[in-house]
Amino acid sequence: MFAVFAESFDPDEPLNGLRLGERPEPTVPDGWTTVTVKASSLNHHDLWSLRGVGLKEDQLPMILGCDAAGLDEDGNEVVVHAVLTDPSWLGDETHDPKRSLLSERHQGTFAERVAVPRRNVVPKPAGLSFEEAACLPTAWLTAYRMLFTQAGLKPGDSVLVQGAGGGVATALIVLARAAGMRVFATSRDETKRKRAEEIGAHEAVETGARLPHKVDAVMETVGAATWSHSIKSLRPGGTVVISGATSGPKPSNAELNRIFFLSMRVQGSTMGTREELRGLTEFLDVTGTRPLIDSTMPMQQAEDGFAAMARGEVFGKVVFTL
Ligand SMILES: NC(=O)c1ccc[n+]([C@@H]2O[C@H](COP(=O)([O-])OP(=O)(O)OC[C@H]3O[C@@H](n4cnc5c(N)ncnc54)[C@H](OP(=O)(O)O)[C@@H]3O)[C@@H](O)[C@H]2O)c1
């Protein structure tokens, strides 16, 4: 079958190890099922994999991709929950020490077919296209958990979203606005700041610029480049939720004194549970909110999407169709 996969790692030029071509059909263990992929979406995770983060040489070649929407073996329209847990694990799937995401231990979703545990297949909401549904399992689910579970934000609260253009960041802006929050965003790029305001930010400022007032929570995926600003933008007692560190894990100033003196909470977050994926699909159904898609292209042109993400040129999700 056709697939997009990592053949080798390159920490500096991740696209060097990217290959498109034939891979064997998935093997389907007991309790697993095969999903015929109609659409999948690109995440920064796929670039990290090509850089060698989270994968070892002896796992190559590895089909990339965490996200998929498609048809199950009975022809039902489904979305794949990308968090795989040990069969014996009960409770919050993201807390299983043995959990992995598709394309980490098991072959990923950038292929004509993908094998997943039966419990990881959830119904696709009828109102969402395959392309929209393919945006949910990683970026949109991560954003949903960050805002509502980890920060516990409510209508009327204020939130800052760092790095406005990213897949997670655009999801954060759209979801926070739809839930009745006051939304601030930052971006290095003026065009992206304008677009952030068009999709729901009340105000988008340059990266590092002072906000009109301190916020109840900050959503971090950029890491080192914005960490100090995140802490300085938070009200006393506020929460910073971090789910990524695209610019690196070592901020020049971790702002430790400010964090304890102003009783701030630092909360890590990874992906989301099946129950949160269900909550997200309900939220989209009820509010009419839809995932923001930057571009849609046939999976055969996936290299263009990877290159755009590596250059930091995307605004929203890049979707691959089959
Ligand atoms: N923990 C989880 O479950 C989880 C889930 C999804 C994603 N993530 C992580 O979250 C991060 C974002 O993922 P994504 O898929 O949304 O990636 P993406 O689409 O590539 O987003 C990256 C964004 O980060 C900003 N950025 C990058 N470098 C920057 C710098 N030096 N200074 C300021 N801003 C910078 C950019 O914002 P501007 O260009 O607008 O400034 C860009 O739009 C990745 O590190 C990813 O691995 C984690």
Side-chain angles (χ1 to χ4, degrees), residues 42-48 101 138-139 142-143 162-170 186-189 192-193 207 220-222 225-226 242-247 269-272 309-310 312-317:
L42 183 63
N43 291 291
H44 215 97
H45 184 278
D46 303 305
L47 277 180
W48 291 125
L101 306 188
T138 298
T142 299
Q162 298 281 17
V168 179
T170 47
T186 67
S187 175
R188 298 163 295 177
D189 181 83
K192 287 191 193 174
R193 290 197 292 275
T207 303
E220 254 297 351
T221 58
V222 178
T226 51
I242 176 162
S243 74
T246 306
S247 63
S269 196
T270 284
M271 302 294 283
M309 179 171 274
E313 282 173 6
V314 297
F315 193 87
K317 294 289 290 172

Side-chain angles (χ1 to χ4, degrees), residues 25-309:
E25 289 289 332
T27 47
V28 189
D30 278 352
W32 287 47
T33 184
T34 305
V35 172
T36 301
V37 178
K38 295 292 232 179
S40 56
S41 77
L42 183 63
N43 291 291
H44 215 97
H45 184 278
D46 303 305
L47 277 180
W48 291 125
S49 299
L50 287 166
R51 292 183 200 274
V53 178
L55 280 177
K56 298 196 185 78
E57 290 277 351
D58 61 11
Q59 293 174 285
L60 298 177
M62 176 63 84
I63 299 176
L64 298 169
C66 301
D67 296 347
L71 300 175
D72 72 7
E73 286 165 350
D74 299 320
N76 301 308
E77 298 188 349
V78 296
V79 185
V80 170
H81 183 224
V83 183
L84 308 187
T85 53
D86 189 85
S88 63
W89 181 260
L90 299 173
D92 187 320
E93 293 95 345
T94 70
H95 293 172
D96 178 3
K98 292 189 190 150
R99 65 127 215 268
S100 69
L101 306 188
L102 282 168
S103 79
E104 288 180 351
R105 217 170 289 150
H106 302 279
Q107 302 293 321
T109 58
F110 293 168
E112 290 177 74
R113 282 167 288 284
V114 61
V116 294
R118 270 183 214 289
R119 63 175 182 277
N120 283 60
V121 170
V122 302
K124 176 179 89 60
L128 259 63
S129 65
F130 283 112
E131 288 84 352
E132 289 166 340
C135 299
L136 304 185
T138 298
W140 277 67
L141 179 60
T142 299
Y144 180 89
R145 180 173 171 94
M146 289 173 77
L147 288 168
F148 304 118
T149 308
Q150 307 290 38
L153 288 169
K154 307 179 299 301
D157 287 345
S158 57
V159 61
L160 166 64
V161 178
Q162 298 281 17
V168 179
T170 47
L172 286 163
I173 293 169
V174 172
L175 288 172
R177 182 62 187 254
M181 295 167 203
R182 182 159 297 278
V183 184
F184 298 99
T186 67
S187 175
R188 298 163 295 177
D189 181 83
E190 194 186 343
T191 313
K192 287 191 193 174
R193 290 197 292 275
K194 281 209 183 84
R195 293 215 54 203
E197 290 176 356
E198 284 162 17
I199 65 165
H202 291 86
E203 193 171 340
V205 301
E206 267 181 68
T207 303
R210 185 190 280 265
L211 302 182
H213 61 78
K214 307 268 186 195
V215 291
D216 296 305
V218 181
M219 302 294 120
E220 254 297 351
T221 58
V222 178
T226 51
W227 183 257
S228 174
H229 178 251
S230 291
I231 300 300
K232 286 180 182 154
S233 303
L234 207 52
R235 68 157 169 80
T239 302
V240 57
V241 183
I242 176 162
S243 74
T246 306
S247 63
K250 294 182 184 164
S252 55
N253 186 347
E255 304 290 353
L256 297 181
N257 287 340
R258 198 179 278 262
I259 289 172
F260 75 74
F261 196 63
L262 297 177
S263 301
M264 291 164 171
R265 200 158 66 94
V266 175
Q267 175 68 55
S269 196
T270 284
M271 302 294 283
T273 64
R274 261 194 310 282
E275 188 51 29
E276 286 163 332
L277 184 56
R278 194 200 56 77
L280 169 62
T281 58
E282 277 296 306
F283 185 92
L284 299 183
D285 206 28
V286 168
T287 59
T289 307
R290 291 293 177 267
L292 184 77
I293 295 177
D294 171 275
S295 50
T296 303
M297 58 194 74
M299 197 176 281
Q300 287 77 3
Q301 291 167 21
E303 199 163 347
D304 295 344
F306 276 83
M309 179 171 274

